[in-house]
Amino acid sequence: MTALETFVLRAAPPEVYWGARTWSAGEGGELRNTFPVEARRRYLYSPTIDTVLVRIETEDQVAGWGECKAPVAAGATAAIVDELLAPLVVGSRLDEIAVTWERMYAGMRVRGHDAGFWLEALSGVDIALWDAWGRTLGQPVHALLGGAFRERVPVYASGIPATPDARERAGKLRAEGWTAVKVAIGLSVQDDIAAVRAVSEVFPRVFADAAGQYDVRQALYVGRALQEIGCGFFEMPIPPEHVDGYRQLAERLDVPIALDSLPGRLRALEYLRAGALHVLQPDVCRAGGITETMRIAALADAFGAQATPHVSIGSPVHFAASLSCAAAMPNLDIVEHWIGDNPLSVIAAAPPPRDGAREVIHRPGLGLDVDETKVRALAQ
């Protein structure tokens, strides 16, 4: 590597992000469950769609692009890349991505930084390395990962808040050709169940994401209703740090238990050993990039669990990296796809979903043509 550069991107969406409309500390929906207390159930969201893109360049003037998960405080993520990771990466060999990954991961181990901003920053660099390696070899990333198991990757629409108009929103999405959808729940046990049931009358496949809003007792109650409805999976039913609570839910419910908050394979292994998850949802821009996402998927496969990449919000670089991983996962079920009008979509062009699936891209690297002029114009 001869150069590394970051770009902090922020743009206002036409509509507030669906996660923020449900769980935000500022604009979230009304909490009608009185327990757990509100202080434990409100999360930070930016009013804009924020991310950090990473551009690396090789001695052969090949550019690779990656993305760091940075929904809040994107400047902090960029600073980590610029000040701490770039010195470890510039000058490294492109054909030693795993070596470079370990060098980056070890950088803050002595201080206990193995997740959060550190791993999210590392993720963007790792993705850029894979993109550059694929472009250098003239091969798509999924080929470098061992090959594509499928030509079309199933995707679900993400997402619909559990509001009174949930069925109406679902109807519009179904008319657009979507075949699966996820509902954001966690504000009211009874209203949550009613919303998922209403959406299930429109969609053949429905998933539910509680974002850790329940305790175990509430999650059991909701989970039993979701399994009767035929819900595809129950995502983050309780706070992610309660591994034993996830084990209890996985043992007592038939609806598959899923989790997207997976910072690396070692945390994933903790859940798998406890028998606490059926569906692992590594986010390639959060969980350690393409290198670690594929490790998590392999671990899940060894325990008989599924790998279902998490996406939520981000630029098309995020979606393309997720698609590359999904194509190469033998234990894949489906991939998340944000349905909002993405203000960052001008950055790169990617084929839109068709009939509930996205076509696998067979062009070199991630297969995207990133418009660098637009990136620099949008960068903060």
Side-chain angles (χ1 to χ4, degrees), residues 4-10 51-54 68-70 72-88 108 117-118 120-122 125 380:
L4 186 154
E5 190 174 6
T6 59
F7 303 89
V8 175
L9 307 182
R10 295 187 180 93
T51 196
V52 174
L53 293 190
V54 176
C68 312
K69 194 85 170 182
V72 293
T77 303
I80 291 172
V81 176
D82 293 336
E83 298 180 26
L84 301 178
L85 294 178
L88 300 176
M108 291 287 282
F117 281 90
W118 184 251
E120 290 165 351
L122 182 158
V125 178
Q380 302 291 310

Side-chain angles (χ1 to χ4, degrees), residues 128-321:
L129 290 171
W130 279 99
D131 185 36
W133 184 227
R135 291 174 186 268
T136 297
L137 298 179
Q139 295 291 324
V141 167
H142 58 73
L144 304 183
L145 296 175
F149 284 91
R150 53 197 62 83
E151 288 298 317
R152 304 185 76 240
V153 173
V155 294
Y156 65 85
S158 174
I160 298 177
T163 51
D165 64 346
R167 195 183 193 286
E168 179 183 353
R169 286 177 175 268
K172 292 178 180 178
L173 291 175
R174 192 74 176 96
E176 293 173 5
W178 292 93
T179 58
V181 69
K182 185 165 74 178
V183 182
I185 62 176
L187 300 181
S188 165
V189 166
Q190 297 300 334
D191 291 348
D192 293 340
I193 294 171
V196 176
R197 180 173 287 114
V199 173
S200 72
E201 295 171 356
V202 179
F203 273 92
R205 298 195 74 187
V206 178
F207 308 98
D209 181 1
Q213 295 287 301
Y214 303 131
D215 68 355
V216 172
R217 177 184 57 82
Q218 293 167 330
L220 281 170
Y221 182 88
V222 174
R224 292 189 182 106
L226 294 180
Q227 66 191 30
E228 291 177 4
I229 293 170
C231 188
F233 60 66
F234 190 4
E235 180 179 340
M236 199 192 279
I238 61 177
E241 58 267 33
H242 296 169
V243 179
D244 190 63
Y246 276 85
R247 178 192 59 77
Q248 295 178 53
L249 296 174
E251 288 178 349
R252 299 170 68 178
L253 293 174
D254 291 330
V255 61
I257 304 301
L259 183 61
D260 65 308
S261 182
L262 292 169
R265 68 189 185 280
L266 298 179
R267 196 73 57 84
L269 183 59
E270 184 179 1
Y271 284 95
L272 290 166
R273 282 176 169 165
L277 290 177
H278 305 106
V279 180
L280 280 72
Q281 300 171 284
D283 188 312
V284 70
C285 295
R286 169 194 287 159
I290 291 171
T291 298
E292 193 74 346
T293 291
M294 296 308 294
R295 291 169 174 170
I296 292 172
L299 270 177
D301 201 27
F303 281 82
Q306 293 178 351
T308 299
H310 175 269
V311 178
S312 68
I313 55 177
S315 85
V317 176
H318 190 170
F319 303 148

Side-chain angles (χ1 to χ4, degrees), residues 152-153 155 178 323 337 349-361:
R152 304 185 76 240
V153 173
V155 294
W178 292 93
L323 187 65
H337 193 285
R354 180 174 57 84
D355 299 328
R358 289 190 64 179
E359 303 290 338
V360 172
I361 303 173

Side-chain angles (χ1 to χ4, degrees), residues 93-116:
R93 290 173 57 95
L94 186 58
D95 60 354
E96 294 182 345
I97 294 178
V99 176
T100 302
W101 192 98
E102 293 294 344
R103 189 179 295 120
M104 291 191 292
Y105 185 77
M108 291 287 282
R109 177 184 278 127
V110 71
R111 299 173 183 87
H113 293 227
D114 63 349

